Amino acid sequence: YKKMKAPITFDEPSHTYTHNETGEKYTSVTTLLGKYKKPFDSDATSLRVAQREGVSQECVLEMWEKEKNRACDRGTEIHKLLEDYITIGEEADDWGWLFKTYDKCAQWSVDKYKKVLCEQLVWSEEFKISGLADLFYIHSDNTFTIGDFKTNKRYRFSSMYKDWMLEPLDHLPVCEHSTYGMQLSIYAYLYEQMTGMKCRQLVIYYLNKDRFVAHHPNYMKAEVKELFKHFYYNR
């Protein structure tokens, strides 16, 4: 099985996807999903937190920014370490626990596969959407399992504030399980369209402190089709 040559280039610093021939910027899967959630009101929320904690609003915003950057840097480092481990078997010093917990979790979460692809670009020239998937496990029966690493602080299955995504995803609560499930479903759908293969399952490896826990959201193919249609007609 060969990795496909992409007509899209991903630029990591700006996190943008550009079509090589037309120069057109494609919408990232993360940006697309963000359009179907109510915007986070950082001003009102930070003010409420500041009043509750007895500190200035600037202090709260600065703390949030530092925490976001720290989490982002850690997530990027862990992704890179796992990519090197899976693709070329490179084990960085002091990270043995990470590779061990991945191996154990993958062993129980994914059926036998013949190849694994890391950091695979997926795209749709029709809808001008693109993304970068962490893992594709290719099975011998022309199916695949799609996997993703998540290292954020929480993994929730419902919304604390009873928030719902926007139409046509308004039956999904705003939480990590729904958001990541949709993200992987979009990747899976794009990859099916690109390759003619069928998605077998989705797996999210959530790093809970120092141990991976596998979550298996449903493949929401019908939702992806509705989302693409809505996005296309409302651009």
Side-chain angles (χ1 to χ4, degrees), residues 149-201:
F149 298 117
K150 296 297 180 188
T151 58
N152 47 301
K153 213 160 38 172
R154 295 188 189 89
Y155 191 102
R156 289 165 292 208
F157 292 85
S158 60
S159 167
M160 284 169 64
Y161 307 105
K162 305 215 168 3
D163 283 336
W164 298 86
M165 295 182 83
L166 305 178
E167 200 179 353
L169 304 178
D170 48 345
H171 58 295
L172 297 175
V174 175
C175 63
E176 287 78 10
H177 193 68
S178 292
T179 304
Y180 300 156
M182 270 308 297
Q183 183 187 12
L184 259 66
S185 293
I186 294 171
Y187 292 158
Y189 180 73
L190 292 175
Y191 202 61
E192 282 188 342
Q193 300 304 300
M194 287 161 54
T195 63
M197 298 168 78
K198 292 285 169 223
C199 177
R200 188 184 286 200
Q201 66 169 351

Side-chain angles (χ1 to χ4, degrees), residues 86-165:
I86 293 163
T87 51
I88 54 176
E90 186 179 303
E91 293 190 42
D93 293 343
D94 304 325
W95 289 91
W97 62 270
L98 180 69
F99 310 129
K100 197 178 283 184
T101 184
Y102 162 73
D103 283 339
K104 191 172 182 184
C105 201
Q107 182 187 343
W108 291 106
S109 311
V110 184
D111 293 336
K112 197 174 174 205
Y113 55 90
K114 62 178 181 178
K115 190 171 181 66
V116 60
L117 305 173
C118 287
E119 296 292 292
Q120 169 72 48
L121 267 170
V122 289
W123 65 88
S124 165
E125 296 194 57
E126 181 185 357
F127 295 102
K128 310 282 191 283
I129 291 166
S130 190
L132 198 61
D134 285 351
L135 298 164
F136 279 104
Y137 299 97
I138 310 299
H139 305 287
S140 51
D141 61 352
N142 213 33
T143 64
F144 63 87
T145 292
I146 181 168
D148 207 22
F149 298 117
K150 296 297 180 188
T151 58
N152 47 301
K153 213 160 38 172
R154 295 188 189 89
Y155 191 102
R156 289 165 292 208
F157 292 85
S158 60
S159 167
M160 284 169 64
Y161 307 105
K162 305 215 168 3
D163 283 336
W164 298 86
M165 295 182 83

Side-chain angles (χ1 to χ4, degrees), residues 7 20 28 36 40 50 68 71 96 100 110 125 165 191 216 232:
N20 299 335
S28 78
Y36 291 87
F40 175 62
K68 187 180 85 175
K100 197 178 283 184
V110 184
E125 296 194 57
M165 295 182 83
Y191 202 61
H216 292 279
Y232 186 82

Side-chain angles (χ1 to χ4, degrees), residues 7 18-26 125 128:
T18 310
H19 194 279
N20 299 335
E21 286 178 19
T22 65
E24 223 174 340
K25 292 274 186 270
Y26 275 31
E125 296 194 57
K128 310 282 191 283

Side-chain angles (χ1 to χ4, degrees), residues 66-80 95 151:
K66 276 184 184 167
E67 178 59 29
K68 187 180 85 175
N69 291 337
R70 192 197 63 77
C72 195
D73 290 345
R74 179 175 180 262
T76 303
E77 183 182 19
I78 285 171
H79 271 75
K80 184 75 181 89
W95 289 91
T151 58

